[in-house]
Amino acid sequence: MSLNRYVLLGRSGLRVSPISLGTMTFGNEWGWGAARDSARRIFDTYIDVGGNFVDSANLYTNGTSETWLGEFMKESGRRDKLVVATKYTYNADPGDPNAGGNQRKSLLRTLETSLKRLQTDYIDLYYLHSWDRMTPAEEVMRTMDDAVRAGKIRYVGLSDTPAWYAARAQTLAQWRGFEPVAAMQVEYSLIERNAELEFADLAVELGMGLVAWSPLAMGLLSGKYKPSEAGPNAKFGEGRLQVTSAGGNPPPGFDKLGARNFAIVAELEKVAREAGVSMAQAALNWLYGKRGMASILVGATKPEQLTDSLGALDFSLSDEHRARLDAASAPPSPLPFPYYFYTDVQQARITGGVEVEAHAPRYALPAVVRPAQAD
Ligand SMILES: NC(=O)c1ccc[n+]([C@@H]2O[C@H](COP(=O)([O-])OP(=O)(O)OC[C@H]3O[C@@H](n4cnc5c(N)ncnc54)[C@H](OP(=O)(O)O)[C@@H]3O)[C@@H](O)[C@H]2O)c1
């Protein structure tokens, strides 16, 4: 197992590992993370196989994630070899409306805090973490560009924004000569495929590499939930999903333990067994084949979990296995407006029934092959 191959991030020249390491599990402040020695072994496991792309955020585990990552980078002497990503948006001082948000004041203040915690002079990839629904894209992109010119960040990323907002930000960057957006971070897995409706095309057309977060659906696809060994609604095993599903987090983002999702896990279990790989590896390999994908952002609370995930690109699932996973995880039919317009039947009405050859398949929406199922 090794990660000694790299891919370009979007249309930038930055070389990143196709599997990146999430550090949201560094620290137990949220009730489901790793202790320091375990986090250190996870970090070492990743860099020992050649991984170079690590991800944090200003408020992961209330700042412990960035602090430990900074310490580990310093202790290992590997800071300059790593592509360090972190994020701003969430509020570090409740009651102060400028201590969070996408605005210039929040960005520059959070950036300074992250640089100190990470014990570095520069962030390789700085993300807007989540859209605040208020700040104009002009302000964000101008401030990001200023931070690049000041040498505090190298590349710009967006996370959890609508696709229209990302397209506007990128177009502004191109027309005004700001540093463009290199990465778009979105939730994407066999359980969550909405990224295919807009973000895959956004990535390819506008040159942003997709970075998929929670690719194992926060542990649901990891192999610890085996439908063949328990009833479909069983809540078993120990891990984050037990904590988050009991902790009042809003579904569907955090409560992954519904019947629809267990049907997907059941098919994943069969495919993985037939392919002779772990369930986590099958789920990640399926995901890496998706349009626009640059890097899969995995998490772990134990080094052996990461070792399992790092083997995900050492083989290729067969077309038949991919098709079965596509079918099992297809979105409910019909797709919502306007996506139900973009079908072959509709296209034939537009082209007058004449076949038009495109150089590459464009606007590939997920196939809908099964009716909606209630959770
Ligand atoms: N931009 C955003 O809004 C956003 C949101 C979320 C995450 N992220 C980023 O994405 C990264 C990854 O997210 P994630 O942690 O949710 O990813 P994930 O890979 O979907 O889930 C990781 C969790 O699954 C379990 N697991 C993983 N491998 C396993 C194995 N082989 N066997 C058994 N259990 C296994 C572990 O949890 P347990 O041991 O507790 O079961 C582990 O912490 C984060 O660290 C963060 O950097 C970004």
Side-chain angles (χ1 to χ4, degrees):
M1 174 191 54
S2 85
L3 264 190
N4 59 0
R5 57 182 266 235
Y6 302 92
V7 296
L8 292 181
L9 189 62
R11 216 164 277 157
S12 81
L14 185 65
R15 287 83 161 150
V16 296
S17 299
I19 298 179
S20 35
L21 176 65
T23 63
M24 191 172 71
T25 45
F26 284 14
N28 201 32
E29 283 76 359
W30 292 351
W32 38 262
R36 194 180 188 285
D37 62 332
S38 191
R40 177 63 203 263
R41 281 187 291 131
I42 290 168
F43 175 82
D44 288 343
T45 301
Y46 181 71
I47 60 173
D48 285 351
V49 297
N52 79 344
F53 195 13
V54 291
D55 184 271
S56 188
N58 67 318
L59 284 187
Y60 282 169
T61 51
N62 308 342
T64 299
S65 165
E66 281 188 340
T67 301
W68 287 0
L69 182 55
E71 291 168 4
F72 299 165
M73 288 195 296
K74 192 164 192 192
E75 288 160 16
S76 67
R78 301 288 282 269
R79 196 279 163 250
D80 282 328
K81 284 192 188 298
L82 291 173
V83 174
V84 180
T86 193
K87 320 183 188 77
Y88 85 103
T89 292
Y90 288 103
N91 197 305
D93 185 9
D96 176 357
N98 275 315
N102 298 159
Q103 70 277 30
R104 177 177 289 112
K105 186 169 170 66
S106 162
L107 188 158
L108 293 174
R109 177 175 171 185
T110 310
L111 175 57
E112 292 303 328
T113 309
S114 292
L115 288 169
K116 281 195 198 97
R117 284 206 197 107
L118 289 162
Q119 302 187 51
T120 182
D121 297 332
Y122 66 99
I123 307 292
D124 293 284
L125 175 62
Y126 201 49
Y127 284 104
L128 175 156
H129 199 158
S130 184
W131 186 39
D132 69 4
R133 305 194 299 166
M134 291 178 230
T135 308
E138 289 88 335
E139 183 174 334
V140 172
M141 295 308 289
R142 175 59 199 259
T143 313
M144 287 282 199
D145 190 59
D146 289 345
V148 172
R149 286 166 198 252
K152 300 200 173 201
I153 67 179
R154 299 285 186 260
Y155 294 88
V156 175
L158 296 175
S159 156
D160 305 343
T161 71
W164 72 261
Y165 180 92
R168 176 165 171 72
Q170 190 70 315
T171 307
L172 278 168
Q174 286 166 346
W175 282 53
R176 293 204 177 162
F178 298 153
E179 179 64 30
V181 180
M184 180 77 228
Q185 199 175 119
V186 288
E187 183 175 6
Y188 196 175
S189 70
L190 276 164
I191 300 299
E192 173 51 69
R193 292 182 60 188
N194 279 336
E196 290 168 40
L197 294 175
E198 294 273 354
F199 290 97
D201 291 321
L202 174 85
V204 174
E205 295 288 326
L206 292 179
M208 306 176 194
L210 289 184
V211 177
W213 60 262
S214 292
L216 295 177
M218 305 176 187
L220 183 65
L221 303 170
S222 68
K224 73 173 54 152
Y225 304 87
K226 285 201 174 65
S228 68
E229 293 172 12
N233 289 316
K235 297 194 175 185
F236 47 88
E238 284 180 9
R240 185 193 318 174
L241 288 174
Q242 271 66 40
V243 179
T244 53
S245 62
N249 286 294
F254 291 90
D255 187 0
K256 304 279 189 201
L257 302 172
R260 172 185 181 269
N261 292 353
F262 272 105
I264 298 169
V265 178
E267 186 65 5
L268 174 65
E269 188 187 357
K270 284 184 208 145
V271 165
R273 195 182 310 115
E274 288 169 23
V277 297
S278 73
M279 287 171 64
Q281 289 172 351
L284 297 173
N285 193 279
W286 170 87
L287 183 59
Y288 201 70
K290 290 297 176 187
R291 181 172 161 80
M293 189 61 60
S295 189
I296 300 176
L297 182 44
V298 299
T301 53
K302 300 179 184 68
E304 54 274 22
Q305 294 176 346
L306 180 65
T307 303
D308 184 20
S309 296
L310 290 176
L313 304 186
D314 295 345
F315 65 97
S316 292
L317 280 178
S318 68
D319 290 346
E320 187 227 323
H321 284 149
R322 286 194 159 276
R324 276 170 50 193
L325 292 175
D326 276 337
S329 62
S333 175
L335 289 172
F337 174 83
Y339 309 105
Y340 65 74
F341 267 86
Y342 312 141
T343 60
D344 289 344
V345 175
Q346 193 73 10
Q347 285 298 302
R349 292 177 61 205
I350 293 169
T351 61
V354 180
E355 198 167 321
V356 181
E357 277 183 42
H359 291 298
R362 302 177 85 193
Y363 309 113
L365 291 173
V368 174
V369 294
R370 63 171 200 178
Q373 287 179 7
D375 261 3

